[in-house]
Amino acid sequence: MEKDVEFVKEIASKEKNFPQWYVDVVRKAELADYTTIKGCMVIRPYGYGLWENMQAGLDRRIKETGHKNAYFPLFIPESLLKKEAEHVEGFAPEVAWVTHGGSQKLEERLAIRPTSEAVICSLYSKWIKSWRDLPILINQWVNIVRWEKVTRLFLRTTEFLWQEGHTVHKSEQEAEEETLKILNQVYRDYIEKDLAIPVIIGRKTEKEKFAGALHTYTLEALMSDGKMLQAGTSHNLGQNFAKAFNIKYLDEDQQEKYVWQTSWGTTTRLVGALVMLHGDERGLKLPPKVAPVQVIIVPIMFDKTKKEVLEKAESIRAILKKNFRVEIDTRDGYTPGWKFNEWEMRGVPLRLEIGPKDMAQGQVMLARRDTGEKTAVKEEKLVEIVKELLDNIQENLFTRAKKFLEENIRETSDYNEFKKIIEKKRGLIKTYWCGSKDCEDKIKEETKASIRCIPFEQEEASGKCIYCGKEPSTLVYFARAY
RNA sequence: CGGGGUGUAGCGCAGUUUGGCAGCGCACCUGCUUUGGGAGCAGGGGGUCGGAGGUUCAAAUCCUCUCGCCCCGACCA
């Protein structure tokens, strides 16, 4: 550990000062930076490259499940936003309003979208006439503005990027199936396979659900400081919006009926999750599937052999380029050691070193970011080995994270022990809850822990509520959350 | 929006108590020597000391007002 700290002078210790470590890593790795606008960050090329790779993996899955992308306006007239009562109430405190066009005061204020249900529903009501128009499966990749009081890079910013899916169905069952399909086949698959982040899935309590939804499903990820982060949500909106926006269709049986809807989203917050879950004392550790640079070539340049080594490095890059995202660091004036640390801090999964010694033996050195392990590889085997190593790193990150998650799920039925765990160890607590908002609120008040989700797998034996002791109670996960 | 803290070069800070040439480390630029786990030497550039007003021969330093940021609460993806 001491050795690690020595290598990374620019970032705070993860163990000693996690919040500072997080900010340092995000900024020094050049993922993002602060701007002069309060709560708004700039996503720098390296961070945006990461986001683009993340988008690609999720967008593919969204399309594979039959959805299409579209674009709806940034502005939402106040009257539209107000149509669904619970929805407005939920979002009103954090809406940014446009009141003027040029110097002219607007007749009606325009909200900058805090989410797009309202504007999309207003159009769905125009587009949907017949059962033949259904289902509608639309997604959009856009920016969102929510006037949060406290912001943190990626985790909570005034403006952020996300995708939001909005679907319309004939029946309650079909909407429910869609909500769960997104949760499992799209989000869970993406987050676990591409981002190597294991998740706990389940339903949100009434208190925690989306404003205006019938119910909300969630994917929750455990960060390495023991706090949970909501990684994505999928809402079954029921007919709340259909009724508020008058979205009806004429069914096969010639009856006019309200539609059933869903909406679901994931955000740039997931970038923060990657940093917080996989990172270590040396900085970022990116999963190969989304890393902007998968292999960084560091040529070892001595005066006499510089030319040959650079040529060799260039030819290796040309070969690897066909299958991998690869870059070469030819900067003068930085020692190899400096570059090693730099690229490790930026989370590149594999480093390839090539110098005169290697050239003489027809080999290169490969160093893994996740384990630090260094091996010599013959040139003929390079492509094969790089592929193998990248797959292995991806898997290893997930396995480690999964183990960490499992080790930090603790069961208790004793409230005092519950408090101790939350205070000292954090992580998740698996326990029972009677279903009353009162108990939920009290626990939050006394321990800062909230119910992250009600898992789908309910064990047969029912337990007593951790707070009031009432039976029967539901199995839930509690944790402190971001 | 309540309680606390803090603003001095891109970053991290000293200087403020007791007013007297605006400094240090890192980063940056130039040159030479270097380069297999954060190189060395020499030279150089960069500041309306968060902002406004006041006291004074003289203000980073004292006074008044104001703004930003951070932490803890309340709110949240």
Side-chain angles (χ1 to χ4, degrees):
Chain A
M1 189 63 74
E2 274 309 304
K3 206 179 161 201
D4 281 346
V5 175
E6 222 172 87
F7 277 117
V8 191
K9 299 169 188 158
E10 293 161 328
I11 56 180
S13 161
K14 185 182 178 193
E15 200 155 341
K16 291 181 197 147
N17 190 353
F18 189 79
Q20 189 59 49
W21 170 87
Y22 174 76
V23 172
D24 285 348
V25 168
V26 167
R27 297 185 69 193
K28 304 285 187 200
E30 296 183 4
L31 295 178
D33 204 354
Y34 293 113
T35 67
T36 51
I37 305 117
K38 181 176 147 55
C40 293
M41 62 172 182
V42 52
I43 304 176
R44 303 182 65 177
Y46 192 65
Y48 201 78
L50 172 60
W51 174 240
E52 283 178 317
N53 293 334
M54 290 165 67
Q55 278 185 298
L58 181 53
D59 197 59
R60 176 172 58 77
R61 289 174 175 85
I62 288 172
K63 284 171 179 158
E64 275 170 7
T65 45
H67 306 84
K68 288 189 172 152
N69 286 337
Y71 186 83
F72 292 85
L74 169 69
F75 300 120
I76 304 177
E78 185 165 15
S79 53
L80 275 189
L81 198 63
K82 279 187 172 162
K83 283 198 172 181
E84 213 287 332
E86 211 178 310
H87 187 60
V88 207
E89 202 188 313
F91 284 99
E94 48 191 74
V95 170
W97 294 99
V98 175
T99 56
H100 286 73
S103 56
Q104 199 129 40
K105 188 161 188 260
L106 301 177
E107 288 285 309
E108 181 184 8
R109 298 197 292 175
L110 298 173
I112 298 178
R113 61 180 161 222
T115 180
S116 302
E117 276 75 9
V119 67
I120 290 179
C121 285
S122 75
L123 287 149
Y124 282 171
S125 73
K126 278 169 66 177
W127 295 345
I128 296 163
K129 302 280 178 234
S130 144
W131 63 274
R132 292 188 177 87
D133 297 328
L134 299 175
I136 291 187
L137 306 172
I138 288 179
N139 175 65
Q140 68 170 355
W141 288 93
V142 296
N143 58 342
I144 288 294
V145 169
R146 293 184 190 172
W147 219 261
E148 302 286 356
K149 284 172 185 152
V150 177
T151 59
R152 292 190 73 187
L153 294 170
F154 285 113
L155 301 178
R156 176 164 298 110
T157 45
T158 303
E159 180 186 11
F160 58 93
L161 307 182
W162 78 353
Q163 60 63 220
E164 49 178 328
H166 296 269
T167 70
V168 190
H169 307 268
K170 276 182 289 197
S171 67
E172 180 170 16
Q173 193 200 339
E174 203 183 300
E176 181 68 9
E177 277 166 14
E178 166 78 5
T179 317
L180 289 170
K181 184 199 274 180
I182 293 297
L183 188 77
N184 286 298
Q185 280 181 45
V186 177
Y187 287 164
R188 182 181 202 162
D189 192 69
Y190 158 68
I191 294 169
E192 295 200 333
K193 288 193 180 142
D194 286 16
L195 309 185
I197 298 176
V199 289
I200 297 272
I201 62 174
R203 191 161 50 83
K204 281 291 188 193
T205 63
E206 279 301 299
K207 176 182 158 77
E208 302 272 336
K209 76 170 193 192
F210 177 75
L214 205 60
H215 50 254
T216 289
Y217 296 119
T218 180
L219 303 98
E220 302 279 325
L222 182 65
M223 300 294 103
S224 47
D225 64 342
K227 284 169 79 175
M228 289 294 270
L229 184 85
Q230 185 173 302
T233 48
S234 183
H235 317 291
N236 185 333
L237 301 177
Q239 294 184 309
N240 293 343
F241 285 87
K243 286 175 181 161
F245 287 85
N246 202 31
I247 313 176
K248 287 188 274 193
Y249 69 100
L250 202 56
D251 205 352
E252 285 174 272
D253 61 11
Q254 303 194 44
Q255 299 289 307
E256 194 172 56
K257 294 172 184 170
Y258 283 114
V259 299
W260 298 82
Q261 292 175 274
T262 82
S263 72
W264 27 277
T266 60
T267 79
T268 32
R269 158 179 263 203
L270 284 172
V271 175
L274 280 182
V275 176
M276 288 198 294
L277 179 55
H278 298 310
D280 63 13
E281 291 291 347
R282 293 185 180 210
L284 265 183
K285 217 186 261 180
L286 294 176
K289 284 200 175 156
V290 291
V293 180
Q294 294 171 310
V295 183
I296 182 70
I297 301 176
V298 180
I300 311 297
M301 300 183 286
F302 297 90
D303 263 0
K304 286 178 192 159
T305 49
K306 186 173 170 182
K307 190 161 170 272
E308 298 90 277
V309 168
L310 275 179
E311 272 167 20
K312 188 73 204 174
E314 200 52 63
S315 78
I316 289 170
R317 180 170 79 130
I319 293 165
L320 292 179
K321 230 174 97 178
K322 291 173 196 153
N323 300 293
F324 313 102
R325 294 185 288 272
V326 53
E327 279 183 18
I328 171 166
D329 188 346
T330 59
R331 287 177 295 177
D332 267 328
Y334 291 99
T335 62
W338 192 92
K339 289 178 182 177
F340 296 168
N341 284 294
E342 162 94 352
W343 291 108
E344 276 168 9
M345 192 260 290
R346 301 187 78 185
V348 175
L350 263 187
R351 179 179 71 244
L352 188 156
E353 300 167 25
I354 173 94
K357 280 187 233 162
D358 304 305
M359 281 179 72
Q361 296 176 57
Q363 66 176 34
V364 301
M365 296 300 300
L366 286 179
R368 302 171 56 138
R369 173 63 177 92
D370 61 335
T371 59
E373 200 182 331
K374 226 164 139 169
T375 45
V377 177
K378 291 288 174 198
E379 273 181 56
E380 333 52 280
K381 291 205 143 186
L382 186 57
V383 173
E384 187 190 328
I385 302 275
V386 166
K387 172 149 191 0
E388 206 178 290
L389 282 177
L390 288 177
D391 287 348
N392 194 277
I393 292 169
Q394 181 80 30
E395 206 182 299
N396 184 37
L397 287 181
F398 182 75
T399 309
R400 283 158 74 149
K402 180 96 179 168
K403 185 165 166 259
F404 175 74
L405 172 63
E406 279 160 4
E407 283 169 359
N408 282 285
I409 299 176
R410 298 180 179 85
E411 255 185 280
T412 184
S413 51
D414 177 63
Y415 190 53
N416 280 321
E417 201 190 331
F418 178 108
K419 283 200 266 194
K420 259 185 228 161
I421 295 171
I422 285 294
E423 200 53 51
K424 299 223 169 89
K425 298 180 177 151
R426 297 205 176 166
L428 282 92
I429 294 175
K430 193 173 171 184
T431 188
Y432 289 87
W433 166 66
C434 65
S436 86
K437 185 162 180 300
D438 205 39
C439 287
E440 193 181 7
D441 285 342
K442 290 263 173 56
I443 293 169
K444 177 88 192 271
E445 207 181 297
E446 291 167 20
T447 68
K448 291 187 214 159
S450 54
I451 298 173
R452 299 324 298 160
C453 72
I454 305 163
F456 294 121
E457 303 85 26
Q458 287 289 325
E459 279 153 28
E460 289 184 16
S462 165
K464 288 181 182 163
C465 176
I466 184 85
Y467 197 80
C468 69
K470 208 176 111 188
E471 257 181 305
S473 282
T474 317
L475 185 68
V476 294
Y477 288 104
F478 274 92
R480 286 196 186 162
Y482 274 96

